[in-house]
Amino acid sequence: MEHPTAEAVLQGVYTLYNNPNKQEKEKASRWLEEFQKSIHSWEIADQLLQQKHDLNSCTFAAQTMRNKIQNSFHELPESAHESLRQSLLEHISHITLETKPVIVTQLSLALADLALLMSSWRKPVATLLERFSSNPHMMYAVIELLTLIPEEINSRYLRLGANRRKDVLTELETDASLVGEYLLMCLMNCNDNEVLQTKILKCFAAWVQINAFNLSQIGDNMIVAYSFQLLTNVNTKAEIHDAATDCLCSLLQCLETNNNGNGLDVKLFNGILSLEEAYNMSVAQEDLDKSLNLCRLFTVLVESNLVKMVAGSEAVSPHYSIKGLELVLMCVGHYDFEVAEITFNMWYRLSEDLYQRNNETLTAHFKPYVERLIAALYKHCQMEADHEGLIQEEDSFKDFRFKVSEIIKDVIFIVSSISCFKQMFLILQSPNVTWESSEAALFIMENVARNILPEESETVPKVVEAILNLPDNCHIAIRYTSINILGELCDWIDSNPETLEPILNFLLCALQQKNGLATAAANALQSICSSCKKHMLGHINGLMEIARCLDGFEIQTESAIGLLKGISIIIGRLPGEQLTTAMQELCSFQVQALSQLTTGEDDGLGVKKDRHDPIFWVDRLASIYRHVNPTIPDTEVNPCVFVIVSNWNVLSRAMECYKNDSKIMERIVRCIRYAIRCVGKQAMPILEPLVKQIIIIYSGHNHSCLLYLGSILVDEFAGEPSCIQGLLNMLRAFIEPTFQVLQVENGLKNHPDMVDDFFRLVARFIQRSPFQLLQSPLVTPIIQCGLLACTLDHRDANLSVMRFFCSLLSYGRHDRATELRSIVHGILQQHGESLIMNLLYASVFCLHSYMLSDVADVFVEIKQLNPQQLDGYVRKAVDALPKKNSGGCMTVTNEQMIEFVESIVKSETPRAVTQALQEFARLYR
């Protein structure tokens, strides 16, 4: 971009915000984006801030300055840092109470980020306080700055690096007393200005969160006392109530990882316990926001004490902090389920800790609390008495009940499933019980039913009998939840087969119902088929009849596919000839419809739109292929082969017909994948035509799913000598169109699925047929592509690249064939240095921390081949990395570099290498 003028930028901003012409707005937006990326934007943004032309231009200039500092600070030479600092301080000094908050925030962010990045600016907090603290008109701006500096320390945009971050935190700790004094002064002089009071609390919380304050001296802090005062006062406004809650929550979270509070934890605990009355008042006044805040505070109180609470409750008496659960349960009992939901993560954490410890005495201390939790959730799960029909999918209440299901499954071991089941059954037997109470009890029972032991004979038979004898006029929700319970009792039914036939008859009737019951029945049947395989064989005729009538039932698509899964599982247990006949018939319903679609003769498929979508039928066929799965020795003909080969022409025609549609192609390929997995090498009759077809389609339509299918073919057939050359030709045909896509600008980034599937294919080839691939000329361009793909921050794609390198390098080990070893050592000699260079650069600058374990596997493979080479490669790679960040601060010291190289070379396990990589990467982040 040529050097623009301030007037041109002003015109662009004016057009963006005021021109009614949409095309002109978009043109201005693109131009301004390019301007912000240019080196000239530093100077012009500064000019616009000085001119104060209008709100929009000032906002744009402030945002530009903040963006440049966050993302392009490296553009400025160190000699320009000081003038930028003076300029920003000057702009900040002109802020008044009338300045728009968005401009204050953007300018403050810019200066805060500069303070963190600019290593030559010593004691920035002290500088700001010295310059502005005596000016009462600057109070708002200074508090904003003091809030953002600690908040921005962990910003992922700044990449401060661990060394700089440590220095800054140390510096801020020394300034914390100054900040505390300033905030107290502001609190006393803000004249009850609620905006400033809120800002003060938020600022205090920000400094607490970075552990800047000495916790042993904070117990009597006036701001902490003021937070309690605000939460106790029924007249406190919402925003400042939020800030006071955040302030105390920050303190609790800080104490959770810090034991030097000198009694602050007990003081806070008792102070929060005293807020029970404030919570009760918020409920009485129906002030939901305050109830939510106090519930959050009570929950964080328990979470911050959780480790001590559980560890300290292993004795006869529980830890004192267990009282916090009383406050949490009080909140779970709130009339609005949104309040109860806040506590769910705490219950999950508690259950995880108790489960890991597996101590009955300890668990017993918490059992009464969990019993009360379930009782409260049962009440929350009740529908309105006048509710008709089932709960709609988009209803927030449906989402809440799903979360209740999850939390009950997490905590139920504490009270035992059968105990809960019996307790709910007692509710069902209560006189004059309402339908909504019954349904909620059944819902709780549904969530524990799968855990009930098969030998239970006291309560479950009564429940099953009651479900099978539900009156015709019972509420549909009761019938729906009862059907779900039968599905969850599938393991119990398997051990009590005498109940199977009446249950199946009940579900068959439900399949013919509408309004969601048929879908529930289909899901229940799938579960029973999966668990009761042996007993369901005798009902195969009934299941096939259900399959014939499937499109006559009002079943959701996923549930219909699930039902076909259940039927297919049973078919897979039939004797050979029967299996072929049944599978052929089950597939024929789907294949016939798909055939009609591909030939344009789909008039007979009905008026429903989804019946004319090939995915509808392909997914059904895929479910059958995936789940028939008979147990057949390799020496015998698989009874599924005849069906799969017979149906091949229709799938082949579908691929040709829909080759322009990536979504449909993915589903067809998935179906073919399951077909090949079903019969393995016995799919040989379709191998050659399939390979020819996918090569042709891929050359014109780069569907990455075809690469994935190629990897399946390699996995199944590369062990057959007669197939290897054909598969190698397939790989060769895939390479050129793949590289054409990936080699354009941002090609790797824009096509991670293609990277994932391509390197999965290559890795499979190396695993199944290493000689043929490693001796071919294809290996060099593949490795070069892999080297470029090391930096791709897409989890699956990067994992496939790393597995490719691991598979390749593994053939250099001593237990491999001599010829292979020499090839791999030659590859390492040629590409090893570039590989380590790219892996280390990716680990430091590109990949997420959780992805480094995959990179570590490659380091370990290289070490096993040649530790000396690894040492040399790592030293060169480390030496090539920048030693200073954009702010002029030392990113990594010589000692840290030496320590990292030694830790990598000495590490014996991937885990140790991962840890070394993560610690080294933190120096740059």
Side-chain angles (χ1 to χ4, degrees):
M1 176 179 263
E2 293 183 10
H3 197 310
T5 62
E7 289 72 25
V9 177
L10 276 172
Q11 184 59 48
V13 172
Y14 180 84
T15 302
L16 180 65
Y17 286 102
N18 300 297
N19 195 318
N21 187 313
K22 189 176 179 182
Q23 288 181 329
E24 289 296 318
K25 277 179 175 289
E26 289 176 355
K27 184 179 176 182
S29 177
R30 287 194 296 272
W31 188 85
L32 289 171
E33 280 181 22
E34 285 303 309
F35 161 74
Q36 285 187 317
K37 292 175 185 175
S38 76
I39 190 75
H40 313 298
S41 56
W42 292 99
E43 177 190 350
I44 292 177
D46 189 32
Q47 290 175 20
L48 294 180
L49 286 168
Q50 289 172 5
Q51 291 173 11
K52 296 188 178 64
H53 192 274
D54 58 26
L55 173 63
N56 289 334
S57 65
C58 286
T59 303
F60 176 77
Q63 287 172 336
T64 301
M65 195 66 83
R66 187 260 299 166
N67 280 333
K68 297 300 287 184
I69 292 172
Q70 280 191 344
N71 303 309
S72 307
F73 195 59
H74 60 274
E75 292 177 353
L76 285 183
E78 281 191 53
S79 57
H81 293 177
E82 179 59 30
S83 60
L84 175 61
R85 180 178 79 138
Q86 292 303 333
S87 178
L88 282 174
L89 285 169
E90 183 64 22
H91 292 313
I92 291 282
S93 69
H94 292 125
I95 289 175
T96 65
L97 287 173
E98 286 70 43
T99 307
K100 294 296 180 184
V102 64
I103 297 175
V104 176
T105 300
Q106 295 300 321
L107 279 176
S108 298
L109 265 171
L111 189 57
D113 289 344
L114 179 65
L116 296 173
L117 286 166
M118 187 175 162
S119 57
S120 59
W121 185 1
R122 309 304 298 173
K123 309 287 285 181
V125 170
T127 303
L128 293 170
L129 289 173
E130 186 179 336
R131 178 162 178 172
F132 298 124
S133 63
S134 59
N135 185 347
H137 300 296
M138 287 295 298
M139 196 181 291
Y140 179 83
V142 174
I143 294 172
E144 185 78 2
L145 276 166
L146 293 177
T147 304
L148 289 171
I149 287 173
E151 284 183 349
E152 287 290 286
I153 281 177
N154 294 307
S155 168
R156 62 190 177 93
Y157 299 104
L158 296 184
R159 299 188 75 95
L160 290 176
N163 290 330
R164 173 62 179 162
R165 193 173 289 109
K166 184 180 177 182
D167 289 345
V168 170
L169 285 170
T170 302
E171 204 170 81
L172 294 185
E173 283 177 25
T174 63
D175 292 334
S177 58
L178 287 175
V179 172
E181 289 169 11
Y182 179 71
L183 292 178
L184 284 174
M185 184 270 288
C186 292
L187 189 61
M188 290 186 285
N189 294 300
C190 65
N191 299 320
D192 293 329
N193 183 319
E194 290 182 357
V195 173
L196 277 173
Q197 289 172 334
T198 303
K199 290 282 182 186
I200 290 164
L201 290 171
K202 287 182 177 178
C203 183
F204 184 79
W207 284 73
V208 167
Q209 285 163 3
I210 62 166
N211 292 315
F213 291 121
N214 186 332
L215 292 180
S216 62
Q217 298 173 5
I218 215 170
D220 297 319
N221 188 286
M222 205 171 124
I223 295 175
V224 176
Y226 184 58
S227 297
F228 277 108
Q229 183 184 327
L230 288 167
L231 296 180
T232 307
N233 189 343
V234 295
N235 298 317
T236 301
K237 299 283 178 57
E239 192 171 354
I240 194 167
H241 197 277
D242 290 346
T245 305
D246 289 340
C247 186
L248 293 180
C249 285
S250 297
L251 266 177
L252 289 170
Q253 287 159 347
C254 188
L255 281 167
E256 186 176 359
T257 55
N258 207 317
N259 294 319
N260 63 350
N262 285 356
L264 177 60
D265 51 350
V266 177
K267 190 169 185 176
L268 273 179
F269 187 87
N270 292 329
I272 293 169
L273 282 185
S274 70
L275 293 174
E276 180 178 349
E277 181 56 35
Y279 172 80
N280 290 332
M281 285 298 296
S282 74
V283 176
Q285 294 178 349
E286 297 188 6
D287 192 331
L288 181 59
D289 289 338
K290 287 183 180 175
S291 295
L292 288 166
N293 277 338
L294 289 165
C295 177
R296 180 160 59 91
L297 181 58
F298 298 156
T299 304
V300 172
L301 174 69
V302 173
E303 287 181 324
S304 66
N305 283 284
L306 208 54
V307 174
K308 289 187 290 186
M309 182 193 298
V310 175
S313 297
E314 292 183 335
V316 177
S317 300
H319 191 265
Y320 75 88
S321 61
I322 204 168
K323 294 176 188 173
L325 290 175
E326 296 285 351
L327 294 177
V328 171
L329 282 168
M330 180 176 66
C331 297
V332 175
H334 192 279
Y335 59 82
D336 193 309
F337 64 75
E338 193 181 342
V339 178
E341 207 173 304
I342 289 174
T343 72
F344 283 3
N345 186 62
M346 182 278 295
W347 293 110
Y348 166 74
R349 284 185 58 190
L350 174 62
S351 68
E352 280 288 288
D353 202 342
L354 292 175
Y355 186 79
Q356 293 296 331
R357 290 174 186 269
N358 192 23
N359 182 324
E360 286 187 18
T361 306
L362 175 62
T363 303
H365 286 309
F366 295 92
K367 183 176 179 180
Y369 298 101
V370 174
E371 287 174 339
R372 287 165 58 190
L373 169 68
I374 292 173
L377 294 178
Y378 148 72
K379 290 180 180 176
H380 275 302
C381 287
Q382 293 181 23
M383 301 183 199
E384 297 291 339
D386 58 354
H387 185 91
E388 295 180 1
L390 302 176
I391 309 167
Q392 296 300 309
E393 287 295 327
E394 62 276 8
D395 194 329
S396 60
F397 186 50
K398 178 95 173 180
D399 182 55
F400 172 73
R401 297 227 312 184
F402 172 77
K403 291 175 181 173
V404 169
S405 297
E406 296 299 303
I407 204 66
I408 285 177
K409 289 168 185 172
D410 287 331
V411 303
I412 196 61
F413 74 92
I414 298 170
V415 297
S416 92
S417 295
I418 190 59
S419 172
C420 176
F421 199 84
K422 287 178 178 178
Q423 193 64 38
M424 293 298 127
F425 186 56
L426 288 176
I427 292 173
L428 294 178
Q429 294 176 306
S430 304
N432 303 320
V433 65
T434 60
W435 76 263
E436 63 272 19
S437 297
S438 297
E439 193 280 334
L442 288 165
F443 174 74
I444 302 295
M445 294 164 76
E446 174 194 337
N447 288 294
V448 302
R450 199 170 286 251
N451 297 333
I452 289 173
L453 296 175
E455 56 268 22
E456 206 288 325
S457 59
E458 180 187 341
T459 306
V460 178
K462 294 176 185 175
V463 172
V464 171
E465 185 182 359
I467 290 173
L468 297 180
N469 292 291
L470 283 172
D472 294 338
N473 64 346
C474 77
H475 195 286
I476 186 173
I478 288 181
R479 193 173 293 276
Y480 176 83
T481 307
S482 297
I483 292 169
N484 290 340
I485 288 177
L486 293 179
E488 292 298 307
L489 285 171
C490 54
D491 293 333
W492 184 89
I493 294 168
D494 186 41
S495 297
N496 296 270
E498 68 280 1
T499 63
L500 183 57
E501 188 159 350
I503 287 172
L504 291 177
N505 291 334
F506 177 84
L507 294 176
L508 183 58
C509 289
L511 270 177
Q512 298 164 60
Q513 304 298 311
K514 299 184 183 298
N515 301 323
L517 293 182
T519 292
N523 294 337
L525 270 172
Q526 177 199 326
S527 296
I528 290 171
C529 285
S530 298
S531 292
C532 310
K533 302 179 189 72
K534 181 174 66 176
H535 304 301
M536 287 299 289
L537 269 176
H539 299 276
I540 188 63
N541 292 332
L543 292 174
M544 292 303 296
E545 187 59 36
I546 288 172
R548 293 184 194 101
C549 304
L550 191 58
D551 289 326
F553 302 136
E554 197 177 274
I555 302 176
Q556 290 178 0
T557 300
E558 285 301 314
S559 298
I561 291 170
L563 184 50
L564 286 173
K565 168 188 171 181
I567 297 170
S568 300
I569 288 170
I570 305 307
I571 285 175
R573 296 179 66 86
L574 290 170
E577 226 176 279
Q578 282 181 262
L579 189 156
T580 303
T581 304
M583 184 179 176
Q584 179 76 329
E585 183 181 359
L586 193 61
C587 290
S588 67
F589 309 133
Q590 335 307 328
V591 172
Q592 186 179 351
L594 192 58
S595 180
Q596 288 177 257
L597 284 170
T598 55
T599 55
E601 302 169 359
D602 57 343
D603 293 342
L605 296 179
V607 296
K608 290 187 177 180
K609 187 178 178 181
D610 57 3
R611 302 297 193 271
H612 297 266
D613 182 351
I615 288 175
F616 181 85
W617 305 104
V618 170
D619 283 356
R620 288 181 169 201
L621 188 61
S623 183
I624 298 167
Y625 285 165
R626 184 180 186 182
H627 295 106
V628 168
N629 200 24
T631 306
I632 303 292
D634 292 339
T635 53
E636 294 183 18
V637 176
N638 191 311
C640 302
V641 170
F642 173 78
V643 181
I644 286 168
V645 173
S646 300
N647 295 338
W648 160 245
N649 285 336
V650 174
L651 283 173
S652 175
R653 196 161 66 242
M655 275 206 293
E656 184 60 35
C657 186
Y658 301 110
K659 62 186 178 185
N660 295 322
D661 191 314
S662 60
K663 186 177 178 184
I664 297 174
M665 281 296 295
E666 280 181 13
R667 306 301 254 277
I668 296 171
V669 162
R670 190 176 67 140
C671 185
I672 295 171
R673 163 195 163 198
Y674 289 137
I676 290 167
R677 289 300 197 195
C678 179
V679 297
K681 293 181 180 64
Q682 295 187 35
M684 191 75 77
I686 69 171
L687 177 61
E688 188 175 343
L690 172 58
V691 169
K692 286 180 179 177
Q693 187 172 11
I694 63 177
I695 287 173
I696 293 169
I697 293 175
Y698 189 74
S699 65
H701 308 82
N702 307 131
H703 300 304
S704 73
C705 60
L706 296 174
L707 298 172
Y708 182 80
L709 181 56
S711 72
I712 301 299
L713 298 178
V714 168
D715 200 35
E716 291 290 346
F717 295 103
E720 298 293 311
S722 61
C723 298
I724 292 173
Q725 190 55 49
L727 293 171
L728 199 59
N729 292 340
M730 175 190 73
L731 176 60
R732 183 179 291 108
F734 280 153
I735 283 179
E736 186 178 344
T738 300
F739 286 6
Q740 282 178 353
V741 173
L742 298 182
Q743 284 173 349
V744 300
E745 187 178 358
N746 291 325
L748 292 162
K749 185 178 180 180
N750 294 336
H751 300 278
D753 291 342
M754 183 176 283
V755 176
D756 179 18
D757 292 327
F758 177 74
F759 282 99
R760 188 193 304 264
L761 164 62
V762 178
R764 284 263 171 85
F765 221 118
I766 288 174
Q767 290 159 8
R768 296 289 182 269
S769 215
F771 268 114
Q772 286 72 12
L773 180 59
L774 296 181
Q775 288 179 323
S776 79
L778 303 179
V779 71
T780 299
I782 291 171
I783 289 172
Q784 289 168 344
C785 183
L787 291 172
L788 294 175
C790 286
T791 57
L792 189 59
D793 67 342
H794 183 281
R795 177 66 197 263
D796 292 337
N798 196 273
L799 175 59
S800 290
V801 174
M802 296 306 129
R803 284 181 175 170
F804 155 69
F805 280 119
C806 285
S807 298
L808 171 64
L809 294 166
S810 69
Y811 285 97
R813 295 179 196 157
H814 293 298
D815 58 343
R816 302 289 190 170
T818 306
E819 192 175 350
L820 270 176
R821 286 209 309 271
S822 64
I823 293 173
V824 172
H825 279 276
I827 289 172
L828 182 62
Q829 191 71 38
Q830 185 180 356
H831 300 287
E833 185 177 321
S834 299
L835 177 57
I836 290 295
M837 192 83 73
N838 289 16
L839 289 176
L840 190 57
Y841 180 87
S843 300
V844 168
F845 294 110
C846 306
L847 305 182
H848 301 288
S849 184
Y850 63 82
M851 297 168 67
L852 299 187
S853 58
D854 306 320
V855 177
D857 292 334
V858 184
F859 275 86
V860 171
E861 286 291 347
I862 294 175
K863 181 182 178 181
Q864 290 180 344
L865 298 191
N866 194 322
Q868 288 74 31
Q869 272 186 303
L870 177 65
D871 188 329
Y873 294 155
V874 174
R875 288 182 191 279
K876 283 188 179 179
V878 168
D879 196 50
L881 292 173
K883 308 301 183 292
K884 286 187 175 183
N885 65 15
S886 53
C889 179
M890 181 66 71
T891 303
V892 56
T893 64
N894 284 329
E895 292 77 12
Q896 287 170 327
M897 287 192 289
I898 293 167
E899 184 183 343
F900 169 68
V901 173
E902 287 180 353
S903 62
I904 288 288
V905 175
K906 289 179 181 177
S907 295
E908 298 294 333
T909 64
R911 185 174 180 181
V913 175
T914 302
Q915 190 172 350
L917 285 171
Q918 288 174 339
E919 289 177 1
F920 189 70
R922 286 191 195 103
L923 298 172
Y924 288 85
R925 294 182 179 180

